[in-house]
Amino acid sequence: MASTNYKEAFSLFDTRGVGRVSLEKLGDLLRACGQNPTLSEIHELEKSVGGEFDFETFQRILNRPGGFRDPGEPEEYCRGFQVFDKDMTGFIGVGQLKYILTNLGEKMTEEEVDELLKAVDTSSGQVNYTELVRTILSN
């Protein structure tokens, strides 16, 4: 995304047209510009910014070290699921996956997990986690 597109994205979030965006929109704005910060990263960034921020401040946040990072290789994510796949079948239970996603690491809501599971076949009560990871990374 070119810097003019970042400026356009910033302008869309500047709903009052005053050249400033409110702090609670920071995470959404970063995501709109192609980044995927964790909730803890957003909280840290919010502490450093204050109530509102201008485009210049936003550019500094956007270009921070590690801001744009590769989403990673599917194999890395699959290794995480393999811990729960005792028989190494490539599948884990739907209930187990829901538990993992709502309770471990960057927690998701039940609604987010349900939305995610619409993308894969869960009719057997099992999820092919390699297929799930590839589906997520392709979006």
Side-chain angles (χ1 to χ4, degrees):
M1 194 181 254
S3 67
T4 54
N5 292 351
Y6 297 138
K7 183 81 173 147
E8 286 173 23
F10 184 88
S11 297
L12 290 173
F13 282 83
D14 175 17
T15 52
R16 293 170 300 151
V18 294
R20 301 184 74 73
V21 172
S22 63
L23 198 55
E24 61 268 7
K25 295 180 182 173
L26 178 60
D28 292 335
L29 180 53
L30 288 170
R31 289 183 189 97
C33 291
Q35 293 192 358
N36 193 16
T38 63
L39 294 176
S40 59
E41 284 176 304
I42 292 169
H43 292 306
E44 284 303 308
L45 291 168
E46 287 173 347
K47 283 187 219 169
S48 70
V49 172
E52 292 184 323
F53 54 95
D54 58 14
F55 184 67
E56 190 177 309
T57 301
F58 176 63
Q59 280 188 300
R60 279 199 307 275
I61 293 169
L62 199 60
N63 294 315
R64 73 196 183 284
F68 285 101
R69 58 180 177 269
D70 188 353
E73 293 300 314
E75 293 73 27
E76 293 173 48
Y77 295 100
C78 290
R79 276 197 293 277
F81 287 118
Q82 284 171 350
V83 171
F84 302 95
D85 178 14
K86 301 286 183 249
D87 300 325
M88 298 306 276
T89 60
F91 289 84
I92 57 174
V94 172
Q96 196 173 25
L97 179 66
K98 283 185 177 188
Y99 177 83
I100 293 165
L101 297 177
T102 56
N103 291 286
L104 303 178
E106 188 82 11
K107 296 171 185 65
M108 296 174 72
T109 65
E110 294 274 344
E111 293 77 26
E112 289 170 328
V113 174
D114 290 341
E115 190 62 33
L116 188 65
L117 290 176
K118 287 179 185 175
V120 292
D121 178 16
T122 58
S123 59
S124 67
Q126 301 279 310
V127 175
N128 177 328
Y129 53 82
T130 304
E131 178 187 324
L132 176 69
V133 166
R134 290 189 193 288
T135 300
I136 294 168
L137 292 178
S138 69
N139 287 340

